[in-house]
Amino acid sequence: MTTSNGYFVGFLTVIPSLFSAFETHVALLSSLTEVSVIDCCKNNQIIVKVALEIEPTFLRMGPIHFCVGINSAISYYKWRSNKAKVVCKRDYFTSIKAVCMNDIWTAVLSTVGTVSLHMIEDAKGTDIKFPQGGDTPIIQMHIIDAFLILLDQKGKVRIYLIEDAQTAALITEHQAPGGNIIEKVFPNRKGTRLICIDSTGNGYLYNPVDDSQIMIPNFSATTTNVLFDLDDRNLFVTVDPEKMHTYLYAPLSLEGSSIIPLPEYLKLDEVDKQKPGVVTFLDKDLKPIILKSGFVYSHARTDGVRGQYLTTHSYMTSWRGQNDTDEGHLRYFL
């Protein structure tokens, strides 16, 4: 706008950086009251735009729904439909710390450490409450398929099978070895492997099927997230504020199960050589959210979602032999 004195005044609107991903889809807060769902594998094509009734402070995405909320209230939207619409509104009467969903169920973690589990599209149903029987308050949770994974304040991981609207059966419990306390846990897409970070800053892979544990070498104590590759189930990266470490889980080898820090191979001649693991550095503005075939999709405040190959997968665009020229691109074997 302009003033009578000849000045031009501009008003800058800052949109909160809210985003959430499920497989290759990402939900972004594209304006103060609008969410856009995009497909990263289709050049960030917009699948649907949804006008909201509120200005949310948190956003979470699931395979069929996404939810937005403020304070103690959450609205659930079904985005996988011809026309996205609200399917449920709930007030949980307590401040909300986190939300997670599968295609049917949602779990809501409060700031006081209680979890409410209920069907997404059931606004008046009875909730299943956790912790049960006076257990320790919950600090982290995940829903993977039909499994609810809870981490309590004393570092115990509990895995429940969600059977119906009244019961969730406890399958297994796990605590860190040596009396340490688990502070964070990150499951894979099926809940069959969990990356656990304990109070000493070490990380290990826990398999709830056989109760086995494998330490992760060169683990960063400042790890904030773990991404499992959507195409290669044995590939994962650990994310800290500045870089990513790439690992390959080898369930069968001459030494038994192991986790290998992946190196960077720039030439075919180096494949058989032993090399140390490398890191992939991140710009400060980027927050990795999806890993697919060694390609990382990250949220950027300025331009939505952008991608890059891990340093360990740089050969995807530049692998050549030692004596090859720049024109001798050896991609025929990929």
Side-chain angles (χ1 to χ4, degrees):
M1 58 177 288
T2 57
T3 68
S4 58
N5 296 328
Y7 289 98
F8 179 83
V9 180
F11 293 91
L12 179 64
T13 300
V14 178
I15 300 175
S17 180
L18 299 182
F19 58 91
S20 182
F22 180 82
E23 295 188 345
T24 62
H25 292 91
V26 180
L28 305 168
L29 187 66
S30 49
S31 75
L32 292 177
T33 57
E34 181 185 71
V35 169
S36 297
V37 178
I38 65 174
D39 189 341
C40 294
C41 288
K42 295 182 179 179
N43 199 25
N44 292 346
Q45 176 185 346
I46 297 177
I47 304 301
V48 65
K49 286 188 176 182
V50 183
L52 308 177
E53 300 174 358
I54 59 171
E55 295 181 14
T57 57
F58 59 86
L59 165 66
R60 184 68 179 178
M61 189 180 193
I64 298 176
H65 309 81
F66 72 80
C67 70
V68 294
I70 184 171
N71 298 330
S72 62
I74 297 180
S75 297
Y76 296 90
Y77 292 79
K78 190 173 184 178
W79 64 270
R80 282 191 187 268
S81 59
N82 294 330
K83 185 178 181 180
K85 60 181 180 179
V86 178
V87 294
C88 180
K89 292 182 181 180
R90 279 232 185 178
D91 195 321
Y92 295 87
F93 303 103
T94 183
S95 297
I96 295 169
K97 181 179 179 180
V99 184
C100 57
M101 293 177 286
N102 60 14
D103 54 344
I104 299 175
W105 299 89
T106 179
V108 179
L109 174 62
S110 72
T111 54
V112 296
T114 59
V115 172
S116 297
L117 175 71
H118 65 85
M119 300 180 72
I120 297 174
E121 299 189 19
D122 186 0
K124 298 181 179 179
T126 303
D127 296 1
I128 304 175
K129 298 290 187 178
F130 301 90
Q132 298 176 338
D135 290 331
T136 309
I138 308 300
I139 60 172
Q140 193 182 4
M141 64 174 185
H142 300 273
I143 288 184
I144 307 295
D145 288 341
F147 300 103
L148 175 65
I149 303 172
L150 302 179
L151 172 63
D152 68 26
Q153 210 168 48
K154 292 184 178 179
K156 179 178 286 188
V157 178
R158 290 183 173 90
I159 302 178
Y160 295 86
L161 175 63
I162 307 172
E163 296 181 309
D164 52 45
Q166 284 78 38
T167 59
L170 178 63
I171 297 177
T172 187
E173 296 181 347
H174 170 69
Q175 286 187 296
N180 297 322
I181 296 176
I182 300 174
E183 295 184 342
K184 296 177 184 177
V185 60
F186 302 97
N188 66 356
R189 294 171 60 203
K190 297 297 183 181
T192 55
R193 297 168 190 160
L194 287 77
I195 303 298
C196 301
I197 305 175
D198 64 26
S199 52
T200 64
N202 292 316
Y204 63 91
L205 185 147
Y206 168 65
N207 188 336
V209 177
D210 57 12
D211 207 35
S212 62
Q213 303 161 35
I214 305 175
M215 296 301 296
I216 302 175
N218 303 329
F219 190 81
S220 173
T222 57
T223 296
T224 58
N225 195 13
V226 176
L227 300 178
F228 288 87
D229 196 287
L230 296 177
D231 295 331
D232 185 349
R233 64 178 184 175
N234 293 323
L235 182 71
F236 66 92
V237 297
T238 60
V239 183
D240 65 32
E242 297 181 350
K243 59 188 178 299
M244 294 180 287
H245 295 261
T246 310
Y247 296 94
L248 182 68
Y249 170 59
L252 298 174
S253 69
L254 294 177
E255 293 80 21
S257 299
S258 61
I259 296 177
I260 307 167
L262 288 186
E264 179 184 24
Y265 292 115
L266 298 177
K267 300 174 183 177
L268 288 172
D269 315 67
E270 300 176 346
V271 172
D272 294 329
K273 297 180 180 179
Q274 293 291 331
K275 300 181 67 177
V278 296
V279 300
T280 303
F281 289 97
L282 290 168
D283 294 337
K284 291 183 179 180
D285 186 45
L286 297 182
K287 295 182 179 180
I289 51 178
I290 298 171
L291 176 62
K292 181 177 173 62
S293 298
F295 194 82
V296 180
Y297 296 92
S298 301
H299 178 266
R301 180 182 289 271
T302 54
D303 54 358
V305 177
R306 67 172 79 161
Q308 68 181 97
Y309 275 109
L310 294 168
T311 303
T312 54
H313 288 65
S314 60
Y315 66 85
M316 295 299 230
T317 57
S318 62
W319 199 335
R320 51 179 57 84
Q322 183 174 3
N323 299 319
D324 289 329
T325 64
D326 290 342
E327 290 76 24
H329 221 191
L330 300 183
R331 296 188 63 189
Y332 62 89
F333 64 91
L334 294 178

